[in-house]
Amino acid sequence: MSLFDQISKEIMAAMKAHDQVRLEALRGAKKELLEAKTAKPQGEELSDDEAIKVLKKMVKQRKDAAQIFVGQGRQDLADGELQQASVLETYLPAALTPEQLEAAVKDIIAQSGATSIKEMGKVMGLANKALAGKADGKEISDCVKKLLA
């Protein structure tokens, strides 16, 4: 079952359970996934990797909005955004721990044969492809810089 289908099914469950926060988060996710699906050429399906990218973007947006709300003294709105972010995070793959990330980046550096910071671009290209959805781009970049320096 694709991630899109799973979210559609969960919307029905949230409606039956009268869980407004979950329902609102899932409806928003379904809307974004439908938009991503219609942006593709006709007949192409939305892959789970693409759906994960959309969900990660939505989680980041929710957390950024919560920070803004906290800065404006609106903790009630910030709490709602954080609750929606936590609902969406349940559909994302587990993030790598710093130790796992470092081990994965070491393997990628060994495969690419990079020896200096000048070759960071080559390593980042491989690392972003291999670790997509498992780690944030900034975390990957920081780790690569640390290991090549």
Side-chain angles (χ1 to χ4, degrees):
M1 178 184 310
S2 72
L3 196 54
F4 180 80
D5 295 335
Q6 183 180 355
I7 287 174
S8 296
K9 191 182 241 185
E10 292 287 327
I11 287 174
M12 297 298 278
M15 288 166 97
K16 289 177 182 174
H18 300 287
D19 187 349
Q20 287 304 109
V21 172
R22 187 170 187 78
L23 181 61
E24 190 174 329
L26 293 175
R27 280 183 173 162
K30 186 173 181 178
K31 174 195 159 288
E32 292 291 331
L33 292 173
L34 278 171
E35 287 178 2
K37 190 175 181 179
T38 56
K40 296 177 71 71
Q42 190 172 14
E44 281 190 43
E45 288 296 315
L46 189 69
S47 71
D48 279 350
D49 289 339
E50 293 166 325
I52 287 171
K53 286 180 185 176
V54 170
L55 292 177
K56 282 187 94 128
K57 178 181 162 193
M58 290 181 68
V59 168
K60 185 176 182 335
Q61 288 172 339
R62 298 294 183 281
K63 289 182 178 180
D64 291 347
Q67 281 184 331
I68 291 169
F69 288 139
V70 167
Q72 295 175 343
R74 296 294 311 265
Q75 188 63 43
D76 55 328
L77 296 175
D79 291 342
E81 292 291 331
L82 292 173
Q83 288 172 345
Q84 286 188 26
S86 67
V87 168
L88 296 173
E89 284 175 335
T90 61
Y91 296 95
L92 296 175
L96 293 176
T97 64
E99 295 81 20
Q100 292 171 324
L101 177 62
E102 188 170 329
V105 170
K106 281 181 183 177
D107 290 342
I108 292 168
I109 290 173
Q111 290 172 3
S112 69
T115 56
S116 71
I117 196 75
K118 292 178 183 176
E119 298 172 290
M120 183 174 170
K122 179 169 68 171
V123 174
M124 282 301 297
L126 295 171
N128 282 333
K129 285 181 185 175
L131 303 173
K134 298 176 186 171
D136 184 47
K138 183 169 176 13
E139 293 171 348
I140 295 171
S141 174
D142 292 342
C143 187
V144 169
K145 281 180 191 174
K146 183 178 89 172
L147 292 174
L148 287 178

